C-alpha cells in the first residue's frame, strides 16, 4: 500500500484530481485535516483533526466495470467491515453511507477523471468520524469514539484498503454479483419501509432487494422500481 500523507491540504480528492497524471493505481492520499473538504452534492465536508480523511486512486481495470458507481458501494462495504472489526455495529444505508445506531460516521465521495470521453481514473474519497468535535450535519452523525469504539486510524485505513483491493478483484472478474450477498448482509433495510429522495422526487416503498448491479429494488404495492441513484432518509 503506497500512502502519501499530509498534515493539512484543501482536500485529498482535489489533490488527487490535480496530480492524477503522476499518481499510480492504488495510491492512497491521507490528510490529518482538510481546509476545503468536499462532500456530496457540492457540500462542504468539515475535516478537523480527529477524523480519518483519505482518497484512493484507481486507474487500472476500470473498463472491466459495468458501472463505476459500484466502486463507491465497494468502499462502503470495506469501511463497514473494518469498523465492525474495530468493534462498531456498523451497517450500510444504500448506496454508500455507513452508519451505526442510526447515525452516519462515514461519507464517501467518488469522482471520475476523464480524458476526452475516456475514463482515466476514479478517485474514491472517504471521511470517517473518529473523535473530532465538529461533525457534518446533513444527516444525524456520530463518531466512533462516541460509540465507545477506539479505532486506530492506521489500523482502519489498512483494513479498509486491504478489503477494498480484495473485493475489487472480484468486482472486475464477476461484477457486483460477486459482492451482492455481503453487501445485502451489511444493508440493514432489506424488507423494511424506506423513504427515498431521487432528485426532486420523494418516494416511499419497501426495500425489496439489491440487484446484480448494486441497484435498489423498491417495492411500491405491486410495482417494483429499479433505483440507481438517490438518498435514503435516516
Ligand atoms: C459525503 O458527503 O457523505 C461524502 C464525504 C466525503 C468526504 C471525504 S474526506 C476525504 C475525501 N476528500 C474530500 O474532499 N472529500 C472526501
Amino acid at each position: 500500500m503506497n500512502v502519501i500523507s499530509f498534515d493539512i491540504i484543501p482536500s485529498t480528492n482535489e489533490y488527487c484530481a490535480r496530480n492524477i497524471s503522476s499518481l499510480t493505481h492504488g495510491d492512497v492520499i491521507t490528510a490529518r485535516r482538510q481546509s476545503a473538504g468536499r462532500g456530496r452534492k457540492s457540500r462542504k465536508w468539515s475535516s478537523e483533526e480527529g477524523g480519518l480523511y483519505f482518497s484512493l486512486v484507481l486507474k487500472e481495470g476500470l473498463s472491466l466495470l459495468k458501472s463505476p458507481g459500484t466502486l463507491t458501494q465497494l468502499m462502503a462495504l470495506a469501511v463497514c467491515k473494518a469498523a465492525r472489526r474495530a468493534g462498531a455495529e456498523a451497517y450500510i444505508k444504500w448506496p454508500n453511507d455507513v452508519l451505526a445506531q442510526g447515525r452516519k460516521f462515514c461519507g464517501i465521495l467518488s469522482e471520475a477523471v476523464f480524458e476526452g470521453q475516456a475514463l482515466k481514473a476514479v478517485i474514491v474519497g472517504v471521511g470517517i468520524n473518529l473523535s473530532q468535535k465538529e461533525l457534518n450535519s446533513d444527516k444525524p452523525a456520530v463518531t466512533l469514539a462516541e460509540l465507545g469504539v477506539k479505532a486506530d486510524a492506521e489500523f482502519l485505513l489498512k483494513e479498509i484498503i486491504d478489503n477494498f483491493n480484495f473485493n475489487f478483484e472480484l468486482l472486475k472478474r464477476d461484477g457486483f454479483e460477486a459482492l451482492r450477498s455481503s453487501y445485502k448482509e451489511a444493508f440493514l433495510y432489506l424488507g423494511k419501509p424506506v423513504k427515498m429522495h431521487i432528485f426532486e422526487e420523494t418516494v416511499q416503498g419497501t426495500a425489496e432487494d439489491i440487484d446484480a448491479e448494486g441497484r435498489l429494488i423498491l417495492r411500491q404495492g405491486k410495482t417494483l422500481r429499479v433505483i440507481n441513484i438517490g438518498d435514503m432518509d435516516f
Side-chain angles (χ1 to χ4, degrees):
M1 173 162 103
N2 183 32
V3 183
I4 306 168
S5 301
F6 292 94
D7 180 23
I8 182 163
I9 50 175
S11 146
T12 56
N13 271 28
E14 185 273 337
Y15 176 92
C16 292
R18 200 158 30 83
N19 296 285
I20 200 67
S21 310
S22 57
L23 292 168
T24 48
H25 177 82
D27 282 353
V28 177
I29 311 302
T30 71
R32 285 177 61 227
R33 291 175 291 161
Q34 299 181 116
S35 52
R38 299 174 180 171
R40 284 187 297 147
K41 300 185 183 160
S42 309
R43 290 194 187 104
K44 180 180 172 305
W45 184 261
S46 152
S47 311
E48 64 176 44
E49 195 170 341
L52 173 58
Y53 314 107
F54 71 90
S55 301
L56 171 65
V57 175
L58 299 171
K59 288 183 152 181
E60 293 168 9
L62 299 174
S63 61
L64 299 170
L65 305 177
K66 214 163 177 185
S67 153
T70 50
L71 291 169
T72 316
Q73 287 172 281
L74 193 67
M75 184 54 89
L77 190 57
V79 171
C80 185
K81 289 259 162 74
R84 284 182 180 181
R85 280 204 68 178
E89 288 180 21
Y91 57 91
I92 294 173
K93 193 135 203 178
W94 185 89
N96 51 44
D97 285 327
V98 194
L99 282 71
Q101 293 182 6
R103 291 184 286 166
K104 172 168 164 174
F105 69 83
C106 168
I108 304 172
L109 175 68
S110 294
E111 296 183 274
V113 182
F114 287 93
E115 205 166 53
Q117 303 275 40
L119 178 63
K120 189 177 172 194
V122 175
I123 299 159
V124 187
V126 181
I128 301 182
N129 301 334
L130 298 180
S131 63
Q132 71 270 42
K133 294 277 169 297
E134 191 193 317
L135 298 182
N136 297 284
S137 58
D138 64 314
K139 305 259 172 76
V142 72
T143 59
L144 291 180
E146 282 176 82
L147 296 166
V149 175
K150 276 205 195 105
D152 175 67
E154 249 176 71
F155 166 83
L156 265 187
L157 180 63
K158 188 174 178 323
E159 283 282 315
I160 293 167
I161 298 298
D162 285 352
N163 192 289
F164 183 96
N165 287 339
F166 183 83
N167 282 339
F168 185 51
E169 294 306 312
L170 299 180
L171 186 71
K172 283 188 294 184
R173 203 186 62 197
D174 301 328
F176 191 82
E177 182 61 34
L179 309 166
R180 191 173 166 199
S181 63
S182 315
Y183 186 90
K184 279 172 69 168
E185 187 272 321
F187 173 60
L188 279 202
Y189 296 82
L190 274 186
K192 297 196 181 138
V194 293
K195 192 173 177 188
M196 305 281 315
H197 301 284
I198 306 166
F199 299 109
E200 301 301 302
E201 195 191 355
T202 301
V203 294
Q204 299 200 41
T206 305
E208 176 97 359
D209 201 2
I210 301 292
D211 77 4
E213 288 172 40
R215 299 174 300 192
L216 177 72
I217 310 296
L218 188 75
R219 174 172 289 283
Q220 293 178 297
K222 290 203 167 99
T223 314
L224 290 180
R225 185 165 167 178
V226 181
I227 299 180
N228 52 20
I229 193 159
D231 260 335
M232 278 173 73
D233 247 9
F234 278 30

